[in-house]
Each structure stands twice: as structure tokens, then as C-alpha cells.
Amino acid sequence: DAGSKSGRGALVILEGLDWSGKSSQCARLLSYLEGQGCRAEGWRFPDRGTSVGQMISAYLANESQLDDRTIHLLFSANRWEKRALMESKLLGGTTLIVDRYSYSGVAFSAAKGLDIQWCKAPDVGLIAPDLVIYLDVQPEKAAERGGYGGERYEKIEFQKRVADHYHSLRDSTWKVVDGSLPMETVEEQLRELATNCIQKCQEKPLTNLTW
Ligand code: NYM
Ligand code: MG
């Protein structure tokens, strides 16, 4: 039983390049968990629904230009504005399946040449994830998916640098899943990883991200 009625919820993050299949897998995982009677919600960053999120969305659509550090801090602010709600959901027993988090923040900005420590700093103190699942897909493969190239950053050379930075961010909370496997196979692996994580972290206190 993947239920989390007794303890806190888990913070599960999905990371990966653009068009690596994160959003579809998040949705599949969420409906599976709900079907198991687990209290869970799907979140995503950037959260384009807030006023900060609307600035980010316009930037990604190339409708506005922003300095590289400015947009970096807006992405971080967009996570900070959700921190209190995130904490209360988790403590209340709801598991959060989150499409992108601070690792996207660092990997994409560092791929522009910004200093990695500088990129990490504004996210110190956000809630630390219990599990980070990295969907590993070759940049060339992702580029074959329909819709690719529609937003800023969706260029193969840039995505290769993002992948290198993701690689250097890996720590003990990360699990790498081969995102080029059939969708059902990936889905099965995610179910198992998430279910284990939800069970294990029920009694663990929440901690803050320190990198
Ligand atoms: N992105 C996302 C960043 O550059 N920094 C961040 O902190 C986050 C959360 O936004 N190319 C980038 C990664 C994506 C883009 O994300 C939009 P999505 O998942 O396509 O909405
Ligand atoms: Mg996208």
C-alpha cells in the first residue's frame, strides 16, 4: 500500500531535458498513486499561474528579454513563493510529484555560463527532495519529439550543456531512469521508485536543501 495516511508525504521530483517525457510520466505516476489510495498532487515548476510565473512564461516564449541573472532569480522566486504551501501539504500527508525543481534552475542557468555556486545559492533553504528521478534521454532523441523548438533553450547544443550540468548535480537522492525505454517500462520503474520512497520517508523529518 503506497498510502501515506500516518506520516508525511514525500517530495518526489522528476528532472530531465526538454521533451524527455517528464510531464507524461508525472501524470501517469500521479494517477497510479491516486488509484492506490495515496494522497498525492502533481506540481510543476515553473508554475506559470503566478505573476512571477507569467513573467517566466513570457520570457520562455521569447516575448520578453531578461538578463540571465534576473531570470534565474525569478525561477528561484517562483519556487520560494510555493515553499510554505509545499511544506504544509507534505506535513499534512500529501505526496507531491513535481515536474522540475532547483536542479533545472541550476542546470539551465549554468549552461549559459553562469557560476554554479551563484546559481545554487538562492535555492538554499527550499525543501530538500526525498527522491529525484532523472529521465535520461539523448538530446538528439528529445529533439525528434513533436513540438520541440517551440520555447527558448530547445536547441540540441544548449541541451547538451544542460545534460552535462545535470550530471554534475547528481547525489544520493538521484535515480537515473533510461527515458528512451518504452513508456510502460519507464512508468513501471517510476512506480516502484516512488512507492519505496513514500514508504521510507513517512517518519523522516523534512529537511532543507543545502546542495
Ligand atoms: N527552467 C525551468 C529553467 O531554466 N529554470 C528553472 O528553474 C526551471 C524550473 O524552463 N526549458 C526551464 C526548463 C525548460 C523551461 O519548463 C520550461 P517546462 O517544464 O517546459 O514548463
Ligand atoms: Mg517545455
Side-chain angles (χ1 to χ4, degrees):
D1 169 37
S4 57
K5 289 178 190 78
S6 49
R8 72 164 173 92
L11 180 56
V12 177
I13 310 292
L14 259 77
E15 286 282 3
L17 299 181
D18 288 303
W19 299 94
S20 57
K22 291 184 302 340
S23 304
S24 314
Q25 290 294 343
C26 278
R28 285 166 175 245
L29 179 57
L30 188 66
S31 60
Y32 168 76
L33 292 173
E34 285 168 345
Q36 296 293 107
C38 174
R39 225 182 317 138
E41 285 183 16
W43 284 29
R44 68 180 309 143
F45 291 108
D47 180 333
R48 303 186 192 218
T50 70
S51 52
V52 171
Q54 284 163 25
M55 292 175 70
I56 293 171
S57 192
Y59 172 81
L60 290 171
N62 287 304
E63 289 161 6
S64 72
Q65 308 303 323
L66 289 169
D67 167 78
D68 288 343
R69 288 178 179 78
T70 307
I71 183 64
H72 181 80
L73 295 173
L74 288 178
F75 274 115
S76 179
N78 188 231
R79 288 183 282 278
W80 276 104
E81 64 184 343
K82 293 286 170 181
R83 190 195 182 288
L85 183 60
M86 184 179 265
E87 181 168 19
S88 69
K89 293 273 182 190
L90 292 169
L91 292 177
T94 300
T95 284
L96 301 178
I97 306 298
V98 186
D99 188 341
R100 299 192 182 282
Y101 199 54
S102 307
Y103 311 94
S104 287
V106 174
F108 280 79
S109 290
K112 296 172 171 176
L114 295 186
D115 178 74
I116 291 167
Q117 292 310 319
W118 187 91
C119 291
K120 287 179 172 180
D123 279 25
V124 170
L126 290 174
I127 299 173
D130 296 297
L131 171 65
V132 179
I133 300 171
Y134 183 75
L135 270 192
D136 196 15
V137 170
Q138 291 303 109
E140 291 83 357
K141 275 278 161 212
E144 291 169 5
R145 299 194 169 161
Y148 190 90
E151 282 201 329
R152 201 187 285 264
Y153 305 148
E154 294 179 4
K155 297 197 177 70
I156 291 176
E157 286 313 310
F158 188 80
Q159 299 280 322
K160 282 183 180 166
R161 293 203 296 276
V162 174
D164 290 342
H165 285 291
Y166 266 131
H167 199 269
S168 67
L169 290 171
R170 290 180 189 180
D171 64 26
S172 58
T173 63
W174 284 54
K175 300 284 179 199
V176 178
V177 170
D178 182 350
S180 65
L181 293 172
M183 233 187 187
E184 292 71 23
T185 311
V186 175
E187 184 177 5
E188 188 53 47
Q189 293 185 12
L190 265 52
R191 287 177 177 187
E192 197 181 320
L193 289 170
T195 304
N196 284 339
C197 169
I198 292 166
Q199 279 163 0
K200 275 196 198 135
C201 69
Q202 286 190 34
E203 310 308 327
K204 279 195 219 155
L206 282 180
T207 59
N208 287 335
L209 187 62
T210 52
W211 297 103

